[in-house]
């Protein structure tokens, strides 16, 4: 394959643009914000789990409190009924039984009220736990949103750089003969680097020194010959510094 030396040198400009596009893609995959987002998401999930646990405990104690309140209410209604029965009169035996039941109900109510007081104290503490957990979730969500915003800004910068370099690549590629461009793209796809300058006796693509026979071949080659490195296969572009 042959190509004007000036055209071959434009391959080096194209390679620089491709290298920058590779760097953009690498930065996009390795943004520190991505790892931080993962950490913040895990921290948020931990806070949400804590909130669910606190809400579950609060729900359990709240049901206990409502159950005790309902039982106390039933005891009070029973007491009211018994007192009305006593006021309506009856036999001595009936009145004695009612008096005994009222004493039993009073003890029952006292026990229930003591138990309710203890439950209400625990309920208040668990309610505070729920509020703290809810605040933790809100804080974790805010921190996650902050780093997501930072990621979005970084991605926007990378997208802008990629768009700019893509336009440059299309412009440069349009000035190259199709066979030469196809060869470069094929080598780059297979090896990662498609072209490099000849720097003294070293390939600029793989940085390996060429042996004397290869250097002699390069010196004998016509200026418009498209030559390649025997080690890495990249196109070797001869410049004034070669």
């Amino acid at each position: 394959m042959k190509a004007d030396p000036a055209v071959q040198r434009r391959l080096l400009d194209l390679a620089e643009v491709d290298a920058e596009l590779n760097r953009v893609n690498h930065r996009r995959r390795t943004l520190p914000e991505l790892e931080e987002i993962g950490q913040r998401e895990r921290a948020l999930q931990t806070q949400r789990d804590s909130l669910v646990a606190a809400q579950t405990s609060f729900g359990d104690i709240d049901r206990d409190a409502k159950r005790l309140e309902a039982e106390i209410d039933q005891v009070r209604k029973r007491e009211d009924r018994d007192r009305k029965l006593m006021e309506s009169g009856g036999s001595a035996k009936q009145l004695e039984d009612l008096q005994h039941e009222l004493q039993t109900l009073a003890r029952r109510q006292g026990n229930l009220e003591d138990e309710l007081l203890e439950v209400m104290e625990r309920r208040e503490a668990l309610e505070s736990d729920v509020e703290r957990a809810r605040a933790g979730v809100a804080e974790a969500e805010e921190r996650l949103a902050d780093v997501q915003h930072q990621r979005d800004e970084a991605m926007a910068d990378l997208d802008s750089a990629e768009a700019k370099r893509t336009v440059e690549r299309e412009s440069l590629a349009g000035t190259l003969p199709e066979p030469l461009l196809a060869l470069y793209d094929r080598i780059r796809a297979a090896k990662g680097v498609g072209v490099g300058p000849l720097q003294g006796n070293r390939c600029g693509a793989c940085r390996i020194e060429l042996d004397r026979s290869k250097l002699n071949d390069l010196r004998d080659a016509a200026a418009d010959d498209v030559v390649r490195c025997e080690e890495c296969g990249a196109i070797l572009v001869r410049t004034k510094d070669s």
Side-chain angles (χ1 to χ4, degrees), residues 110-165:
N111 292 334
L112 288 172
E113 287 176 345
D114 289 343
E115 187 177 352
L116 177 60
L117 179 61
E118 180 182 348
V119 167
M120 293 299 288
E121 290 175 350
R122 290 165 54 197
R123 182 183 183 277
E124 184 177 354
L126 288 172
E127 188 174 16
S128 297
D129 290 344
V130 170
E131 292 305 315
R132 281 193 296 270
R134 187 174 286 117
V137 168
E139 183 180 358
E141 288 175 339
E142 184 177 353
R143 290 180 176 178
L144 175 59
D146 286 343
V147 72
Q148 286 174 333
H149 179 68
Q150 294 171 14
R151 175 206 58 193
D152 292 343
E153 288 186 334
M155 286 293 190
D157 290 341
L158 291 173
D159 289 344
S160 177
E162 182 181 40
K164 179 181 177 181
R165 291 298 186 179

Side-chain angles (χ1 to χ4, degrees), residues 223-241:
D224 61 351
D225 282 345
V226 176
V227 297
R228 298 174 61 181
C229 173
E230 290 184 345
E231 297 295 335
C232 66
I235 298 170
L236 273 175
V237 176
R238 291 160 286 174
T239 68
K240 64 180 179 179
D241 298 325

Side-chain angles (χ1 to χ4, degrees), residues 44-63 122 125-134 137:
L44 174 58
Q45 188 57 53
T46 298
Q47 291 294 334
R48 286 174 173 167
D49 291 343
S50 297
L51 176 58
V52 170
Q55 289 173 328
T56 300
S57 297
F58 177 79
D60 292 341
I61 202 72
D62 189 55
R63 282 190 294 273
R122 290 165 54 197
L126 288 172
E127 188 174 16
S128 297
D129 290 344
V130 170
E131 292 305 315
R132 281 193 296 270
R134 187 174 286 117
V137 168

Side-chain angles (χ1 to χ4, degrees), residues 46-224:
T46 298
Q47 291 294 334
R48 286 174 173 167
D49 291 343
S50 297
L51 176 58
V52 170
Q55 289 173 328
T56 300
S57 297
F58 177 79
D60 292 341
I61 202 72
D62 189 55
R63 282 190 294 273
D64 288 343
K66 290 177 180 177
R67 175 184 57 79
L68 289 169
E69 288 172 347
E71 289 185 23
I72 291 172
D73 186 58
Q74 290 175 353
V75 169
R76 286 172 178 167
K77 289 179 180 178
R78 184 71 175 268
E79 286 179 333
D80 290 342
R81 189 201 66 173
D82 287 354
R83 285 194 176 92
K84 288 178 181 179
L85 288 174
M86 288 185 68
E87 291 172 359
S88 65
S91 65
K93 175 68 168 131
Q94 289 175 328
L95 293 176
E96 183 181 354
D97 289 344
L98 287 171
Q99 183 63 40
H100 177 71
E101 184 172 347
L102 283 171
Q103 292 173 352
T104 301
L105 290 173
R107 289 194 297 272
R108 174 63 176 162
Q109 181 176 339
N111 292 334
L112 288 172
E113 287 176 345
D114 289 343
E115 187 177 352
L116 177 60
L117 179 61
E118 180 182 348
V119 167
M120 293 299 288
E121 290 175 350
R122 290 165 54 197
R123 182 183 183 277
E124 184 177 354
L126 288 172
E127 188 174 16
S128 297
D129 290 344
V130 170
E131 292 305 315
R132 281 193 296 270
R134 187 174 286 117
V137 168
E139 183 180 358
E141 288 175 339
E142 184 177 353
R143 290 180 176 178
L144 175 59
D146 286 343
V147 72
Q148 286 174 333
H149 179 68
Q150 294 171 14
R151 175 206 58 193
D152 292 343
E153 288 186 334
M155 286 293 190
D157 290 341
L158 291 173
D159 289 344
S160 177
E162 182 181 40
K164 179 181 177 181
R165 291 298 186 179
T166 298
V167 170
E168 291 180 18
R169 189 185 200 283
E170 291 173 352
S171 177
L172 278 169
T175 68
L176 297 172
E178 182 59 33
L180 181 64
L181 178 62
L183 175 62
Y184 164 78
D185 284 337
R186 187 167 63 251
I187 298 170
R188 185 169 68 92
K191 303 292 185 179
V193 180
V195 66
L198 177 61
Q199 299 170 323
N201 63 347
R202 189 184 300 272
C203 170
C206 64
R207 312 303 301 168
I208 294 178
E209 291 186 0
L210 306 179
D211 60 38
R212 182 170 298 178
S213 63
K214 180 58 179 177
L215 290 172
N216 289 333
D217 292 341
L218 290 175
R219 279 195 291 268
D220 294 338
D224 61 351

Side-chain angles (χ1 to χ4, degrees), residues 6-30:
V7 173
Q8 293 188 45
R9 286 192 290 273
R10 283 201 292 274
L11 277 178
L12 297 175
D13 297 331
L14 182 62
E16 179 56 35
V17 172
D18 284 336
E20 180 58 29
L21 285 170
N22 287 340
R23 287 190 287 270
V24 167
N25 288 327
H26 177 72
R27 287 197 295 271
R28 183 180 283 115
R29 293 191 302 270
T30 59

